[in-house]
Amino acid sequence: MDPDRFAGAAVVFAARSSWEDLREYARGGAVALLPVGSTEAHGPHLSLDTDVVIAMAVAEEAQRLLAEAGRRAVIFPALAYGVTDFARGFTGTVSISSATLEALVVDVARSLAEQGFAPIVLVNHHLEPAHFDALHRAAARAAPARVLVPDHRRKPWALELGEEFCRGGAHAGQYETSLVLAADPGRVFESRRDLPVLDIDLGRKIREGARSFRELGADRAYLGDPASATAEEGKRLLRVLARMVTELVLTEPSE
Ligand SMILES: [Zn+2]
């Protein structure tokens, strides 16, 4: 395949296309990128749709990288609800059950697969363990749909995402705030500059039984250091996350 065949082509969003325009992509077996986020409190300085904004930005960057490698990909509308029990009690947060999420993902994936899209890639940016687990379970039982779940908590990717991420402080801190500064800076509120560092040993607290941001001591629904976030770091992180998605697709053994 000519590696430059799709390079430079416009980003294709399924929701903004007519069905007849999209049919050609489906028949050609295009990759379906399905961004997955949440509607969840992200500190006083980020919007509730932070995970959706980041997942969409990663999907767009991944689509460009796939095009450069000669693979066509289409971005489908994001799933904006997830399992967000840690943020329960913070206004605006909406949590669905693991079973609901799993069933929804299986149905969406099978519907896309029926039309010819393959693989279906869950571009997830909501990190709650129960949420990620539900996505992995959905992928495992979505046959005949082929579903991939890039997981940036795993090596080697986690190691490239910075110290705060590796220590588990990746909720609305320097890591996520940097990503939003790169993806959609208007969604980062100025209040972030005055927020004190909240250095919490997440792993230890969870082992001790904490099951919510309040129990972790994160009274305003953020961890880490939002004030030190930069757009430059966000751009670097976006590229790492998009490379992870792209490499998983390109190394997938085809049927
Ligand atoms: Zn988040």
Side-chain angles (χ1 to χ4, degrees), residues 173-192:
Q174 190 247 359
Y175 166 82
E176 278 194 320
T177 306
S178 294
L179 281 164
V180 182
L181 281 171
D184 192 350
R187 274 189 160 75
V188 181
F189 311 132
E190 271 306 298
S191 60
R192 68 132 178 157

Side-chain angles (χ1 to χ4, degrees), residues 38 40-42 46 50-52 54 125-127 170-172 175-176:
S38 68
E40 182 193 36
H42 274 77
L46 294 176
T50 290
D51 292 339
V52 177
I54 296 172
H125 206 276
H126 176 51
L127 288 163
H171 185 78
Y175 166 82
E176 278 194 320

Side-chain angles (χ1 to χ4, degrees), residues 2-223:
D2 171 10
D4 291 328
R5 216 167 107 204
F6 305 114
V11 174
V12 178
F13 296 97
R16 298 181 204 169
S17 310
S18 77
W19 78 273
E20 291 190 355
D21 289 341
L22 211 57
R23 182 171 50 184
E24 182 198 338
Y25 286 79
R27 284 179 178 162
V31 176
L33 300 172
L34 182 63
V36 181
S38 68
T39 299
E40 182 193 36
H42 274 77
H45 61 296
L46 294 176
S47 56
L48 290 161
D49 65 353
T50 290
D51 292 339
V52 177
V53 168
I54 296 172
M56 282 299 285
V58 173
E60 287 179 39
E61 183 70 18
Q63 202 228 19
R64 278 190 282 272
L65 294 176
L66 285 167
E68 281 171 19
R71 284 292 287 273
R72 263 185 160 184
V74 176
I75 301 172
F76 276 81
L79 299 187
Y81 296 99
V83 183
T84 61
D85 291 337
F86 270 78
R88 257 180 215 271
F90 291 98
T91 307
T93 299
V94 179
S95 191
I96 62 174
S97 70
S98 292
T100 300
L101 177 64
E102 192 180 324
L104 177 63
V105 169
V106 169
D107 284 356
V108 171
R110 284 184 181 152
S111 179
L112 291 171
E114 243 172 51
Q115 302 164 38
F117 292 103
I120 289 93
V121 187
L122 308 181
V123 183
N124 174 52
H125 206 276
H126 176 51
L127 288 163
E128 193 156 321
H131 175 90
F132 237 133
D133 291 349
L135 298 181
H136 283 292
R137 279 198 306 275
R141 71 173 182 90
R146 275 158 49 214
V147 180
L148 302 181
V149 189
D151 191 334
H152 48 298
R153 300 169 305 172
R154 294 180 179 166
K155 287 177 186 167
W157 304 106
L159 301 175
E160 291 194 49
L161 297 176
E163 201 206 332
E164 186 188 85
F165 183 90
C166 290
R167 278 186 295 121
H171 185 78
Q174 190 247 359
Y175 166 82
E176 278 194 320
T177 306
S178 294
L179 281 164
V180 182
L181 281 171
D184 192 350
R187 274 189 160 75
V188 181
F189 311 132
E190 271 306 298
S191 60
R192 68 132 178 157
R193 297 194 184 278
D194 305 320
L195 294 173
V197 179
L198 211 54
D199 200 0
I200 290 170
D201 186 339
L202 200 69
R204 185 169 61 85
K205 292 268 187 189
I206 289 175
R207 280 195 298 280
E208 288 170 0
R211 289 293 175 268
S212 69
F213 288 134
R214 285 214 168 85
E215 285 174 13
L216 288 167
D219 290 340
R220 299 183 78 190
Y222 80 92
L223 303 164

